[in-house]
């Protein structure tokens, strides 16, 4: 059988990889994508962590659990009576699996539409050959002029405590707990801990989150983190900061976590199941990187320059397997930029304006610098803030928690950071990101007509607040 030859081969079919493959094919390259993820029937399931055990299934469960909480606690405010509200966890998980499958199938369709050859199986280097590379794609041998590595990341385990996905859960197990646990322990109050902790709390679990850092959400604007801590506490999410995790024991009865609290006291958390969400590690397992001398950095990520070039000619790496925030949209942006660079174009990613969102209720969204970062840099800035309490649409929605905060340069008024905690913050942050991409000033946003009544009027009012001239507060 003759060896198949490609211009571009992408290893990994997550958001970094599948988007890079589509863009490369659009640019006229003969392109292949290799992905090894299997669905429950052993078939292909492209989309990576994001589609299978990350962004998409977590948002499906967040939506279901939010509906449940609304029906239980808030429908009555609207005059709707429901009687007792029940939750069929198996059905909720089935719906989530359906949403995941729609996305897997969508990517397979996009590969066909864009004429990307898809290989289901492991991709690995065999050797450098004739200025290109010989690769394994499952059982097949193929060659590539350019290789884009997008092999993603895996959940970090606590030392000596492997994930069994029954009692000790990574994001994978945490998204398929078969029945609401009575008591759920979570180690790490980062994004996964808060999102998945919220899901199971809304469904009735008592959730206790143990966090090593002394302050809550240190990478979020301090004012937002303070507001979030207050609101999550009110919702019943118990978060203990400054802990040191000791021995963790599992038995038929559940999990016991021994830890030292912030004051040095010995404590014990007994729970039915434990989610360990203490960050993720880049994944290069199975790539056979040694065969070609691909260089990794000290943390096991693939070493790349600002353009995602590795130490090898014509080998690129994008997404969670390289430095930078582990976010799907960052992986996608890098994938597009690399395909464009291979085509001789000027692919560009602006790392200073990558938005990030925590999908709790209320949502937390940010782009640009936090107030504490600006203070540390000694940069002069003006701040404007507007509460959703004073926004007509938020009142109509019955969701008035949180605020929009805009930070602008003290002299030029250029927007340096936007921080939102409140309803639909994930959607509102797009306007702020666009404004920053166009180097807008806070006055620019203040002068733009925003539809009434809409949550986005709060962004306009926060911009007016920078100049101390809010109209509705
Ligand atoms: P991945 O999505 O990890 O994809 C890598 C793919 O490569 C996988 O399919 C893997 O099987 C495959 N692979 C690996 N090695 C090989 C090999 N040798 N051969 C063939 N295939 C291989 N980010 C957001 O922006 N928004 C969110 O809301 C969000 N929610 C998240 C929720 C959870 C619970 C988790 C865990 C993560 C979430 N993330 C979110 C992060 C997001 O999932 C990642 O940043 C994103 O998936 C990274 O994309 P990637 O393409 O780099 O890697
Ligand atoms: P994270 O980095 O967000 O949070 C990990 C938390 O665990 C930190 O607060 C850290 O201080 C704490 N921690 C670390 N070691 C600890 C220990 N031994 N004991 C107690 N606490 C400890 O990581 P997380 O939540 O696992 O998520 C992984 C990645 O996935 C994130 O980097 C994020 O980018 C991505 N993600 C993004 C989402 C989104 O965009 N909405 C949703 C979920 C995940």
């Amino acid at each position: 059988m003759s060896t198949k030859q490609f211009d571009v081969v992408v290893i990994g079919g997550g958001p970094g990889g599948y988007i890079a493959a589509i863009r490369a094919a659009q640019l006229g390259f003969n392109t292949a994508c290799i992905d090894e993820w299997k669905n429950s029937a052993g078939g292909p399931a492209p989309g990576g962590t994001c589609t299978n055990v990350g962004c998409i299934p977590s948002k499906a469960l967040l939506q279901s659990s939010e509906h449940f909480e609304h029906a239980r606690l808030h429908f009555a405010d609207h005059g709707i009576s429901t009687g007792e509200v029940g939750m069929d966890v198996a059905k909720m998980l089935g719906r989530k699996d359906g949403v995941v499958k729609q996305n897997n199938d969508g990517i397979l369709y996009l590969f066909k539409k864009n004429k990307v050859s898809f290989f289901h199986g492991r991709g690995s280097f065999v050797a450098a050959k004739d200025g290109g590379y010989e690769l394994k794609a499952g059982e097949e041998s193929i060659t590539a002029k350019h290789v884009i590595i997008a092999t993603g990341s895996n959940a970090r385990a606590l030392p000596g405590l492997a994930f069994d996905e029954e009692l000790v859960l990574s994001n994978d197990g945490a998204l398929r707990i078969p029945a609401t646990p009575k008591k759920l322990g979570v180690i790490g109050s980062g994004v996964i801990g808060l999102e998945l902790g919220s899901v199971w709390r809304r469904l009735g679990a008592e959730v206790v989150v143990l966090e090593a850092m002394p302050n809550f959400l240190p990478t979020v604007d301090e004012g937002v983190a303070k507001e979030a801590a207050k609101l999550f506490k009110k919702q019943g999410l118990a978060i203990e900061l400054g802990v040191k995790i000791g021995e963790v024991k599992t038995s038929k009865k559940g999990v016991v976590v021994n830890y030292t609290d912030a004051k040095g006291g010995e404590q014990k958390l007994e729970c039915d199941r434990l989610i360990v969400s203490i960050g993720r590690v880049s994944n290069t397992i199975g790539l056979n990187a040694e065969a070609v001398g691909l260089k990794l950095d000290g943390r096991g990520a693939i070493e790349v320059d600002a353009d995602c070039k590795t130490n090898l000619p014509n080998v690129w790496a994008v997404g969670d397997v390289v430095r930078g925030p582990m976010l799907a949209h960052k992986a996608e942006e890098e994938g597009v930029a690399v395909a464009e660079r291979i085509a001789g174009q000027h692919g560009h990613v602006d790392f200073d304006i990558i938005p990030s969102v925590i999908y709790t209720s209320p949502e937390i969204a940010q782009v640009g610098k936090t107030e504490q970062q600006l203070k540390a840099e000694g940069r002069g800035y003006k701040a404007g803030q507007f509460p959703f309490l004073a926004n007509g649409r938020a009142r109509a929605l019955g969701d008035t928690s949180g605020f929009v905060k805009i930070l602008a340069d003290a002299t030029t008024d250029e927007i340096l950071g936007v921080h939102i905690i409140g309803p639909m913050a994930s959607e509102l942050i797009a306007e702020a990101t666009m404004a920053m991409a166009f180097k807008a000033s806070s006055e620019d946003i203040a002068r733009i007509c925003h539809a009434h009544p809409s949550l986005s009027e709060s962004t306009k009012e926060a911009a007016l607040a920078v100049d101390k001239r809010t109209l509705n507060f």
Side-chain angles (χ1 to χ4, degrees):
M1 204 170 65
S2 68
T3 305
K4 288 184 184 143
Q5 299 180 339
F6 294 96
D7 300 323
V8 177
V9 170
V10 184
I11 306 179
Y18 91 80
I19 288 292
I22 289 172
R23 185 72 189 118
Q26 283 176 348
L27 290 162
F29 294 113
N30 179 17
T31 306
C33 181
I34 315 168
D35 187 80
E36 65 181 354
W37 205 292
K38 289 189 183 119
N39 61 25
S40 53
T49 301
C50 170
T51 301
N52 293 294
V53 291
C55 326
I56 300 299
S58 60
K59 270 78 240 178
L61 295 189
L62 279 156
Q63 193 60 53
S64 299
S65 60
E66 194 164 353
H67 281 324
F68 178 65
E69 188 156 271
H70 274 289
R72 228 167 39 86
L73 302 179
H74 305 303
F75 274 14
D77 298 342
H78 297 262
I80 305 168
S81 47
T82 55
E84 202 183 328
V85 179
M87 173 46 95
D88 181 341
V89 172
K91 192 154 185 186
M92 174 186 77
L93 297 180
R95 174 186 176 275
K96 177 241 346 170
D97 292 341
V99 173
V100 168
K101 187 169 183 318
Q102 281 172 1
N103 283 271
N104 296 140
D105 292 347
I107 296 168
L108 289 170
Y109 161 78
L110 290 170
F111 281 159
K112 268 208 184 99
K113 182 180 162 208
N114 289 282
K115 301 192 174 43
V116 172
S117 300
F118 176 66
F119 292 88
H120 186 214
R122 176 158 284 186
S124 58
F125 285 98
V126 176
K129 199 179 169 188
D130 306 331
Y133 295 88
E134 197 182 325
L135 302 163
K136 272 276 200 200
E139 295 307 310
E140 292 196 52
S141 287
I142 61 174
T143 65
K145 289 183 193 152
H146 291 267
V147 180
I148 304 175
I149 303 168
T151 45
S153 63
N154 294 315
R156 183 194 301 282
L158 271 175
L161 185 71
F163 294 114
D164 60 19
E165 305 300 1
E166 289 292 328
L167 293 172
V168 181
L169 313 171
S170 71
N171 54 295
D172 181 6
L175 287 160
R176 51 185 171 86
I177 303 176
T180 304
K182 217 160 168 280
K183 190 157 181 178
L184 178 68
V186 179
I187 300 186
S189 69
V191 200
I192 294 180
L194 292 176
E195 289 189 5
L196 296 181
S198 296
V199 165
W200 295 105
R201 180 202 60 73
R202 288 173 194 161
L203 298 180
E206 181 191 345
V207 179
V208 178
V209 185
L210 300 177
E211 166 60 48
M213 296 292 282
N215 44 351
F216 183 54
L217 288 176
T219 58
V220 166
D221 188 86
E222 268 169 11
V224 171
K226 206 168 144 198
E227 180 76 3
K230 195 177 78 191
L231 293 167
F232 295 155
K233 190 172 171 195
K234 207 166 140 200
Q235 292 168 2
L237 197 65
I239 300 170
E240 201 170 332
L241 300 172
V243 310
K244 193 167 182 312
I245 304 294
E247 197 184 7
V248 180
K249 287 191 201 143
T250 58
S251 71
K252 274 189 199 142
K253 282 198 254 161
V255 187
V256 179
V257 182
N258 292 287
Y259 66 96
T260 312
D261 65 23
K263 290 187 183 138
E266 296 297 322
Q267 303 289 349
K268 194 182 274 190
L269 168 68
E270 294 179 54
C271 49
D272 304 313
R273 296 181 194 249
L274 179 72
I275 299 176
V276 177
S277 47
I278 56 168
R280 296 179 64 82
V281 279
S282 297
N283 170 36
T284 55
I285 301 164
L287 265 181
N288 199 20
E290 317 77 55
V292 285
L294 180 70
K295 213 164 145 189
L296 307 186
D297 66 17
R299 297 169 306 114
I302 295 175
E303 197 171 287
V304 286
D305 66 8
D307 286 347
C308 294
K309 274 190 187 139
T310 69
N311 66 310
L312 301 175
N314 301 333
V315 178
W316 311 73
V318 301
D320 280 12
V321 78
V322 304
R323 71 327 172 232
M326 288 188 172
L327 295 172
H329 42 284
K330 175 265 191 184
E332 291 181 13
E333 290 297 302
E334 286 183 332
V336 167
V338 163
E340 293 178 352
R341 284 174 199 137
I342 292 173
Q345 299 182 359
H346 297 279
H348 178 68
V349 181
D350 189 341
F351 288 99
D352 291 334
I353 47 169
I354 294 175
S356 67
V357 178
I358 307 177
Y359 292 82
T360 42
S361 180
E363 293 178 347
I364 298 169
Q366 67 178 30
V367 62
K369 299 269 166 88
T370 61
E371 201 163 346
Q372 63 267 27
Q373 278 174 323
L374 293 176
K375 277 183 191 152
E377 287 173 13
R379 181 138 186 199
Y381 67 92
K382 303 174 282 182
Q385 191 164 314
F386 185 81
F388 285 106
L389 198 65
N391 175 278
R393 184 74 194 280
R395 288 189 196 125
L397 285 172
D399 194 354
T400 53
S401 55
F403 53 81
V404 180
K405 173 172 170 179
I406 296 184
L407 304 169
D409 187 274
T411 317
T412 65
D413 194 35
E414 181 180 342
I415 300 168
L416 304 173
V418 178
H419 304 274
I420 307 175
I421 176 167
M424 301 310 276
S426 55
E427 301 297 333
L428 295 174
I429 203 69
E431 177 185 8
T433 310
M434 168 117 68
M436 287 184 70
F438 288 131
K439 304 250 176 280
S441 63
S442 74
E443 189 183 346
D444 288 329
I445 291 190
R447 284 184 182 278
I448 290 169
C449 180
H450 288 66
H452 177 76
S454 71
L455 296 170
S456 70
E457 287 173 290
S458 301
T459 309
K460 179 189 171 108
E461 289 276 3
L464 285 166
V466 171
D467 200 28
K468 299 192 172 33
R469 54 186 183 97
T470 50
L471 297 165
N472 284 287
F473 187 61

